[in-house]
Structure formats: C-alpha cells, structure tokens
Amino acid sequence: MSDAGSDELDEEGSTLGEYEGDRNAAGERHGLGKAVLPNGDIYQGQYGNGKRHGEGTYRFKNGSRYVGEYYKNMKLGQGTFYYPDGSKYEGSWVDDLRHGRGLYTYPNGDTYDGEWLNHMRHGQGIYHHQDTGSEYKGLWVKGKMESAGEYLHSKHRYKGNFVNNNPLGPGKYVFDVGCELHGEYFQVERPATDEENSKTVKSQRSPYPGSSEGYHTLATSGGAEEDRAEGKWGELASAVIIKWIPTYLTATSVFEGLQQRFTMFNWLASVLSSADEKEEKVTIVSK
C-alpha cells in the first residue's frame, strides 16, 4: 500500500475522473475543489495551477486518509496520515515521505516520537512500549537503535551503546534501590536456520534481557509498507546471541554490609545473565 496518492490519475487530461471547484483563467484546477479519481480515491482541498497545493484531505479507497499540506501534488509540511490497520503518523513530510519531526502510533499502541529521514526513524527519538511502559531514548539510524541510548523500565534502566537494535560494549544497569551493575555486552552471530529464513516476521525481538517484563518488540505497521522496510523485518541472514558479562557493582549506603551486597549482586546477575552461564570475577564498589 502506498500513501503517495494517485498523481498519475489526477490530471486535467483524464476523462474518467470528476472535479467540482474553482479554476484559473487557463482552465486549470485552482483554489478550492473536490476530485473523485478514476480509482475511487477522493481529494478535497486546495489546488494551484492544476496540482494539489495547500491544505487538503486525500481519502484512499482502502480506508487510508491524509490530512495536511501539499506542494505540487506531494505531501510537504505538516500532515497526519491514518492507515487502515489503525496506525497513524502525525508530523513533518517532505516529498511524500516522513521527514523531520513526527509521532507514529502503531496498531498495538506503541509509539515513536522523534526524528525521521526518508520514511525511517532516524535521529533522536523515543520508542514507547504500550504493554510494559518501557521505553528507549536515544539515537536511531535508518530505523534501528544505534550509538548511545537508554532503555527505561519500571524499576531500573540500562545505559550503554547500541548497534543494530542490540546493546553492544560497556554499559550499566541503574536500579531504583540504589545500586548500579556495570558490565559489557558481547554479540555472537550464528547462521539462521532454514526455518527462520522461511518465516515472515512482522516484528523485531530485541534479545537484550534488560527487563523483568521480558523481551521487547519494535512494532511495525502492517498497513504501511514503508514501515516494514525500515528494519527489513523478517529478512534474517543471521541470528544474534547476546551475552552480558557483569564486572562490578556500585552501591550506596543503603546497602550496609558486604554480605548484603553480594546477595544483591547474585540476584541481579541471575536476572540479567544470558542462558550461556559463565562464572565471572566481580568487584563490589561502594559509592
């Protein structure tokens, strides 16, 4: 499904469409008007020299709807696009593409509020998970979490570097109870199985075990083909195995006694370590 509109059908030369509205001296659509296109789409709004130009509403026959600004038949400026699956984008457009600042609400209730480039999440942005309340704040590159970022959960948060939607390198978990668990994430790739490659995946699971709420999923919009293209969901060439190795724990005065600190670390390590168990030397540091 495309949200570009039926430009090739909305021309003066078409004898199949219907138009009611203002015209200029040259007979072109100019001013306010309403057009019913041959494919069933409907546009109602401003025209300039035969093109959709200014404020208008474009209704697609499949139920999609765009309300916003046009420039020479292309979405440019501020506008809202309603997709048939219930998702919605509100924000800036350039040449029919989401570009600039915008808010996307996905069918499952997840939201992304931030910067866009050529229809993809790109720049600083916040992705909020509706089911758990967790959210990621940080940099995005071509639809994926990249570089410095922070994942916030109900009682703790993870701060570190992300590569291709996954944590990588040094980072730390900051817990509301007054301690920080420092460590490092490592990624090991293995070839995807034939079964994994044959499946059509509509969401990307992040294998970072950063929350007691469980794994997180970045939503995609089934009604917007450009969303599926953002992360190339389902095109699995390899599977990424994440390994978290804790190194040391910093604790405030709320944790009195070395035994209590070791008990806290053992609990944190059991929650955050991967299934591939490995003994690590840990240092306890008081703040």
Side-chain angles (χ1 to χ4, degrees):
M1 189 277 293
S2 173
D3 60 12
S6 301
D7 294 336
E8 70 279 6
L9 299 176
D10 191 20
E11 301 294 339
E12 285 298 314
S14 173
T15 60
L16 300 177
E18 299 177 2
Y19 174 76
E20 296 179 0
D22 300 331
R23 294 180 181 270
N24 59 17
E28 300 172 314
R29 301 172 186 178
H30 193 88
L32 292 177
K34 177 181 179 180
V36 179
L37 283 71
N39 67 350
D41 293 351
I42 300 174
Y43 172 76
Q44 185 169 4
Q46 295 177 318
Y47 279 89
N49 299 321
K51 304 288 186 180
R52 294 188 293 274
H53 193 86
E55 294 283 343
T57 298
Y58 193 107
R59 300 177 185 273
F60 295 79
K61 63 179 180 180
N62 66 357
S64 299
R65 175 166 51 100
Y66 172 77
V67 181
E69 297 176 296
Y70 278 95
Y71 180 81
K72 294 183 178 179
N73 266 0
M74 304 187 77
K75 293 185 286 294
L76 189 147
Q78 295 297 305
T80 302
F81 200 101
Y82 302 85
Y83 295 93
D85 63 358
S87 58
K88 178 176 66 172
Y89 172 77
E90 306 167 81
S92 179
W93 296 81
V94 174
D95 294 337
D96 275 335
L97 301 174
R98 295 191 293 272
H99 192 109
R101 188 82 184 185
L103 170 66
Y104 199 110
T105 303
Y106 295 87
N108 66 352
D110 289 0
T111 59
Y112 171 78
D113 187 0
E115 296 175 303
W116 296 79
L117 178 67
N118 297 329
H119 253 13
M120 294 183 288
R121 297 182 288 262
H122 191 91
Q124 292 294 323
I126 301 174
Y127 190 103
H128 179 82
H129 297 271
Q130 176 67 20
D131 57 346
T132 64
S134 298
E135 62 184 23
Y136 168 82
K137 295 181 178 181
L139 186 67
W140 298 77
V141 176
K142 294 183 178 179
K144 296 183 179 182
M145 297 178 288
E146 297 281 350
S147 192
E150 185 175 12
Y151 232 125
L152 292 84
H153 306 288
S154 59
K155 295 182 180 179
H156 70 280
R157 65 186 186 274
Y158 174 78
K159 299 179 68 175
N161 189 64
F162 288 78
V163 175
N164 195 27
N165 277 341
N166 298 313
L168 180 67
K172 66 179 180 179
Y173 287 89
V174 181
F175 292 83
D176 292 350
V177 292
C179 65
E180 297 180 357
L181 180 62
H182 298 251
E184 187 169 355
Y185 270 107
F186 295 88
Q187 296 183 1
V188 179
E189 290 192 1
R190 65 171 174 80
T193 65
D194 292 339
E195 181 181 0
E196 288 172 330
N197 274 324
S198 64
K199 291 181 178 178
T200 300
V201 180
K202 289 192 177 181
S203 61
Q204 169 109 347
R205 287 170 61 88
S206 174
Y208 123 80
S211 169
S212 58
E213 291 92 343
Y215 289 82
H216 290 289
T217 299
L218 296 184
T220 61
S221 172
E225 61 186 14
E226 65 281 354
D227 282 337
R228 293 198 296 274
E230 285 178 7
K232 299 298 183 184
W233 312 131
E235 297 180 7
L236 303 177
S238 62
V240 178
I241 300 173
I242 301 297
K243 174 65 179 177
W244 164 255
I245 298 180
T247 55
Y248 66 94
L249 176 71
T250 59
T252 61
S253 59
V254 69
F255 297 105
E256 297 178 357
L258 186 60
Q259 182 61 43
Q260 287 179 309
R261 294 174 187 170
F262 272 112
T263 300
M264 174 59 69
F265 170 77
N266 290 333
W267 175 78
L268 293 174
S270 66
V271 172
L272 301 173
S273 63
S274 66
D276 182 18
E277 296 181 356
K278 179 179 179 182
E279 292 185 0
E280 304 294 339
K281 183 178 179 180
V282 178
T283 303
I284 306 297
V285 181
S286 295
K287 282 188 174 181

